Amino acid sequence: MRPHSSGDAPTGVLQRAALILDAFDGADRLTLSQIVAATGLPRSSVHRTLEHLVTLQWLQRDHMSYQLGMRVIELGAKAVQQNSLRRAALPSLHWLHRVTGCIVHLGILDGTDVVYLDKVGGELAPGIRSRVGSRTPAHSSTIGKALLAVDESARVGSPEIRRVRESRIAYGREQCMKGFSCAAAPIGLVDHEGAAAVSVFGSATKVGVDTELKLAVQTAAADIWRRAHTAGQGTRTTQSPRYRRNRVGA
């Protein structure tokens, strides 16, 4: 849940509603008091807007708390399904999961954050809390560094980002879970989606030392870029890509 930053108070109904819905980012349920604290809006205004959102099924009220309603879930699922980059990436994401045995993420850069568009193989590590639609700071994540390496507006000149630009691969060892590491490859700039990248998350004894795994991630990134740009040109791709190997590592 991200608190409302100081500045001009939102006056429009849609602005207030958007601010209230944003408060549920990272929170399953919130009380009226918690929403007031997160948004900085007057209590009476929050209560009135909440009742409207419940009527529209954007929110659901359960006794003294609120949670996202079915209408938000329906529209969110439809937005993910209709995303052109995700559609172009799906064959490569599933291939990459199959040949590496790792959790695979597809992410884009939104401001200074990574937003996850897809996740394949999440059942392998329930402790990994990433989910479709969640976000994390780009500078503190491996996939974020791959995104910063290709984002023209980032202007990041650190030695680590320069190495990612040159090698087209980023590594992170045991950053979010002991014994696990991550490798990410930039896909590039994809039309209106902006910077995109793909990553694998798996055993630290494998990720970062397996040369074939690195090549698989880079191959998937290149194929996603090709598919995304082919789709953008209005050409249908009906045949799956041919990869040289069926398994990565042992």
Side-chain angles (χ1 to χ4, degrees):
M1 180 169 59
R2 293 172 293 178
H4 175 52
S5 58
S6 60
D8 296 335
T11 56
V13 175
L14 288 178
Q15 288 178 306
R16 291 195 296 271
L19 197 59
I20 289 172
L21 291 173
D22 279 346
F24 287 87
D25 185 9
D28 292 332
R29 294 174 179 268
L30 294 174
T31 64
L32 173 60
S33 297
Q34 289 173 322
I35 296 172
V36 169
T39 61
L41 295 172
R43 188 180 185 89
S44 60
S45 178
V46 171
H47 184 265
R48 185 168 56 252
T49 306
L50 284 171
E51 292 307 304
H52 286 312
L53 291 172
V54 169
T55 301
L56 295 170
Q57 295 186 323
W58 288 77
L59 290 179
Q60 178 181 333
R61 183 176 57 244
D62 183 13
H63 298 295
M64 301 299 292
S65 64
Y66 297 83
Q67 64 186 69
L68 294 178
M70 287 303 301
R71 190 58 180 154
V72 173
I73 297 172
E74 291 169 359
L75 291 176
K78 184 173 292 186
V80 170
Q81 292 171 0
Q82 293 177 347
N83 183 272
S84 58
L85 173 59
R86 178 183 177 274
R87 289 202 308 267
L90 273 176
S92 296
L93 298 180
H94 285 279
W95 171 82
L96 188 58
H97 169 59
R98 186 171 67 252
V99 300
T100 64
C102 296
I103 297 173
V104 178
H105 288 103
L106 172 69
I108 59 172
L109 191 65
D110 181 28
T112 59
D113 291 340
V114 178
V115 177
Y116 294 107
L117 291 184
D118 211 341
K119 177 182 180 181
V120 179
E123 66 279 358
L124 298 177
I128 301 301
R129 294 181 293 177
S130 61
R131 54 178 172 77
V132 175
S134 67
R135 60 176 63 224
T136 189
H139 65 84
S140 63
S141 62
T142 305
I143 193 172
K145 291 167 186 173
L147 289 166
L148 292 173
V150 296
D151 182 60
E152 294 176 344
S153 63
R155 298 180 181 177
V156 178
S158 70
E160 184 176 13
I161 297 301
R162 286 198 295 270
R163 285 195 297 271
V164 176
R165 287 189 179 125
E166 293 171 359
S167 65
R168 307 293 293 180
I169 196 79
Y171 290 114
R173 184 175 178 83
E174 298 185 335
Q175 287 185 329
C176 62
M177 183 179 291
K178 186 174 179 60
F180 288 83
S181 295
C182 182
I187 294 169
L189 299 174
V190 184
D191 297 332
H192 64 281
E193 303 291 350
V198 61
S199 70
V200 294
F201 179 86
S203 168
T205 59
K206 181 177 183 180
V207 178
V209 298
D210 192 326
T211 302
E212 289 189 355
L213 184 143
K214 168 187 171 181
L215 292 174
V217 178
Q218 292 172 323
T219 297
D223 187 69
I224 293 170
W225 188 93
R226 177 184 62 79
R227 282 174 173 267
H229 281 264
T230 299
Q233 295 168 1
T235 303
R236 290 179 61 87
T237 301
T238 58
Q239 186 176 10
S240 298
R242 294 183 179 179
Y243 298 97
R244 290 177 297 175
R245 295 181 181 272
N246 292 324
R247 296 294 303 172
V248 175

